[in-house]
Amino acid sequence: MAMQNTLTAKKISSFWTFLGCVLITLGAGTLCGWLSGAMNGYEGINVPAFAPPDWVFSVVWPILYIMMGAALYLIITYPPLTRTEYFIKTAAIILWGIQFALNLLWPFIFFNIDYTIAFVINAAMVAAVTSLVTLGFFIRPLSSVLLLPYWGWLLFATYETIMIIILNA
């Protein structure tokens, strides 16, 4: 009976950890969108013909934030068996934090300050997420798979930002 209670407590704790990772990621991303002016979309910006309509962002970003939160959960709950796995897990957590901080910073810079600085931030995000995906395959491959759509979106955003810089020069 005590073992069953312990397993139930672990499942409940795991559920709350998962929910916390997802809700914090989704909540911070959504709040950042509202505060940065990103909710106004491309208003007043010359964009390339391939730029998605504004409504696409309100569909894509919540999905990406949920997947990012789930990936974080998989990384932080990974029980390292070796010293190397411990270092990989630690590096993955740090990279996740760096890319997320850059992700939250990007819309403030893009919509309020400078497209070129936003491009540099975007390129740094691509590098961080590429590294994070690579490390994730060593400890929790599913965390990497969950981050691949985000990585693809960032690559697209990098190209789009270059075109916006050119069109608004």
Side-chain angles (χ1 to χ4, degrees):
M1 187 69 154
M3 181 136 171
Q4 185 177 7
N5 287 341
T6 303
L7 289 175
T8 301
K10 282 185 179 183
K11 285 182 182 179
I12 290 170
S13 175
S14 183
F15 169 77
W16 287 111
T17 303
F18 174 79
L19 193 61
C21 287
V22 169
L23 290 179
I24 288 170
T25 304
L26 181 61
T30 302
L31 182 62
C32 181
W34 286 334
L35 296 176
S36 68
M39 298 300 187
N40 296 330
Y42 292 128
E43 194 175 290
I45 301 172
N46 296 321
V47 296
F50 62 81
D54 290 337
W55 67 266
V56 169
F57 296 93
S58 61
V59 173
V60 169
W61 274 110
I63 294 167
L64 293 177
Y65 284 132
I66 290 167
M67 294 172 82
M68 289 165 60
L72 175 62
Y73 166 79
L74 290 171
I75 293 166
I76 65 173
T77 59
Y78 177 76
L81 301 174
T82 66
R83 186 178 172 117
T84 301
E85 288 179 353
Y86 172 79
F87 286 122
I88 292 171
K89 175 183 174 176
T90 302
I93 291 169
I94 291 167
L95 280 169
W96 193 97
I98 290 169
Q99 69 76 29
F100 192 60
L102 292 170
N103 179 290
L104 297 177
L105 177 64
W106 186 91
F108 288 101
I109 302 299
F110 182 85
F111 290 104
N112 301 296
I113 298 176
D114 185 75
Y115 303 136
T116 305
I117 296 170
F119 167 77
V120 172
I121 292 169
N122 200 332
M125 275 192 291
V126 169
V129 173
T130 301
S131 301
L132 181 57
V133 166
T134 303
L135 287 178
F137 276 114
F138 288 102
I139 55 172
R140 284 269 168 98
L142 181 57
S143 69
S144 295
V145 171
L146 286 168
L147 291 171
L148 288 176
Y150 174 48
W151 180 76
W153 186 264
L154 290 176
L155 289 173
F156 173 77
T158 302
Y159 177 61
E160 183 182 27
T161 304
I162 291 170
M163 295 308 297
I164 288 172
I165 292 168
I166 292 167
L167 292 171
N168 291 276

